[in-house]
Amino acid sequence: MMKIAVLGAGSWGSVLGSMLADNGNEVVLFGNNEEVNQEINDYHTNDHYMKDWQLNETTRATGDLSQALDGAALVLFVLPTQAIRSVAKNVGKILIQTGSKPLLVTATKGIEPGTKKLISDILSEEIYPNDQDKIVAISGPSHAESVAQKDLTAISCASTSSSNAQQVQQIFSNDYFRLYTNDDLVGVEVAGAVKNVIAIAAGILVGKHYGDDAKAALMTRGLAEVTRLGVNYFCAQPMTFSGLAGIGDLIVTCTSVNSRNWRCGKQLGEGKSLDYVLENMGQVVEGATTVKAVYELCQEKQIDMPISEAIYRVMYENCNVDDEITKMMGRSPKQEIRL
């Protein structure tokens, strides 16, 4: 048994924390909502994020970060992208004081606007400067709602250290949750982050009542964009995008009602405003933040990502969805297979 600190008490934090407790570990969730923490401790439920579901009864929650980290051999980050840096700074300060060096695992899927940094870069900068070996990213086709019901799930766990990736593989795996190791840390992170932008586009098509042909084309060309950004800017390995973290996660996020990004896009396609959608979603829509970073990269590095650029214009420049679709379909002819 090891102690695991799960930073984030939302749907994913609760589900992964409960699963890790089922796997025989001591798990403490850290969250900033005291009502949620109290509910988890008193009733082993988290109704705000996961209706009609119970956590493992040994799982505890706290609003005290030092308490959560005390004695932890592994720290799992399941926070929104915009919260990662501030929490990581505090984690770094506490670990310096205690002298602890736990393994860091990120399940957050995003790119930081402004810096255009991946989550592993932020954790490295704020906690383990210039040392990514102790950082592992887990990503792939999975929804908290499905894992909570013990649906069969397979994802990637990636690290620059094969032994640390294998350790995480062993800690997380069970008879319904299977992990495959991958040495392309940045590729796995890029795939997990940018597919959220494509999922918004997929939802928009559904909201506009387009059919299967349109959805298939969108996912295929969306994968080309994700791959192009990963390979050309982040120096990722092309094959990563054909794996679980790439095409696997893209498929599930672009087709499932459990995807917040897909639901966001669907409502945008139906004519609702972005402010309305984000205010009423109840949880963070990561693609809404990531699309800003992707758009900045497209402009700065001249990376051809027409779908992502169109989503940015629809969300933040009040451009008309139908006009953007017409513009995209009228682009000059291109060769299909290119980076």
Side-chain angles (χ1 to χ4, degrees):
M1 175 191 282
M2 68 163 59
K3 179 179 177 181
I4 297 175
V6 179
L7 309 189
S11 55
W12 260 123
S14 296
V15 169
L16 290 177
S18 181
M19 185 190 77
L20 289 166
D22 286 345
N23 288 0
N25 300 288
E26 176 190 355
V27 176
V28 178
L29 301 177
F30 166 75
N32 57 12
N33 187 321
E34 283 305 319
E35 290 185 5
V36 170
N37 293 341
Q38 197 67 45
E39 181 187 348
I40 290 172
N41 291 332
D42 291 348
Y43 304 105
H44 316 298
T45 59
N46 190 348
D47 281 346
H48 179 73
Y49 295 102
M50 294 291 296
K51 292 284 187 184
D52 304 318
W53 176 76
Q54 278 204 318
L55 291 85
N56 181 295
E57 293 188 358
T58 65
T59 306
R60 297 178 290 116
T62 180
D64 186 329
L65 184 58
S66 295
Q67 185 181 92
L69 294 174
D70 184 30
L74 185 150
V75 180
L76 172 62
F77 288 79
V78 198
L79 295 162
T81 299
Q82 61 263 36
I84 287 288
R85 190 173 291 276
S86 60
V87 174
K89 282 181 185 291
N90 292 329
V91 170
K93 292 174 183 176
I94 293 169
L95 295 183
I96 287 174
Q97 292 173 354
T98 62
S100 300
K101 289 200 170 184
L103 192 61
L104 307 181
V105 180
T106 169
T108 298
K109 299 175 179 180
I111 300 174
E112 188 177 41
T115 68
K116 275 80 76 178
K117 296 288 182 69
L118 298 171
I119 305 303
S120 63
D121 295 322
I122 300 171
L123 298 183
S124 179
E125 288 176 1
E126 303 295 347
I127 302 174
Y128 295 138
N130 304 312
D131 181 10
Q132 287 195 327
D133 280 356
K134 291 187 73 65
I135 300 170
V136 180
I138 59 173
S139 187
S142 54
H143 288 301
E145 295 82 357
S146 298
V147 176
Q149 300 305 317
K150 299 185 177 180
D151 195 7
L152 301 180
T153 302
I155 67 172
S156 297
C157 61
S159 177
T160 55
S161 164
S162 59
S163 61
N164 285 336
Q166 289 167 5
Q167 184 180 358
V168 170
Q169 182 182 45
Q170 293 171 357
I171 293 167
F172 280 72
S173 293
N174 54 39
D175 58 2
Y176 62 89
F177 198 79
R178 181 176 175 84
L179 284 77
Y180 289 82
T181 60
N182 189 312
D183 63 2
D184 185 13
L185 176 62
V186 296
V188 165
E189 287 191 277
V190 171
V194 186
K195 56 86 186 176
N196 286 328
V197 178
I198 307 304
I200 293 174
I204 287 175
L205 289 184
V206 173
K208 299 295 294 184
H209 304 294
Y210 283 97
D212 293 339
D213 289 5
K215 287 180 277 188
L218 183 281
M219 284 190 281
T220 307
R221 298 311 303 162
L223 180 63
E225 289 195 12
V226 177
T227 305
R228 192 175 301 132
L229 178 66
V231 173
N232 291 341
Y233 181 77
F234 290 97
C235 299
Q237 300 170 20
M239 284 301 295
T240 295
F241 301 95
S242 297
L244 290 166
I247 193 170
D249 208 3
L250 185 72
I251 290 170
V252 77
T253 313
C254 287
T255 60
S256 173
V257 296
N258 287 328
S259 166
R260 295 189 294 275
N261 296 282
W262 182 90
R263 295 203 308 271
C264 170
K266 182 174 183 290
Q267 292 179 71
L268 292 175
E270 292 168 343
K272 296 182 175 66
S273 71
L274 178 62
D275 288 342
Y276 173 86
V277 173
L278 296 182
E279 286 172 8
N280 290 276
M281 187 62 65
Q283 297 187 54
V284 173
V285 179
E286 283 284 16
T289 300
T290 298
V291 71
K292 295 178 181 179
V294 171
Y295 183 78
E296 291 169 6
L297 284 170
C298 291
Q299 300 305 301
E300 291 174 15
K301 305 298 180 182
Q302 297 298 299
I303 301 172
D304 188 28
M305 300 183 68
I307 298 170
S308 301
E309 292 183 45
I311 296 305
Y312 176 86
R313 288 192 293 268
V314 167
M315 297 182 78
Y316 295 107
E317 295 182 352
N318 295 316
C319 290
N320 181 272
V321 170
D322 293 322
D323 289 345
E324 290 297 323
I325 292 173
T326 299
K327 188 187 305 180
M328 192 172 304
M329 294 302 290
R331 295 171 74 234
S332 60
K334 306 287 183 182
Q335 181 181 354
E336 180 183 10
I337 307 301
R338 60 191 176 89
L339 286 176

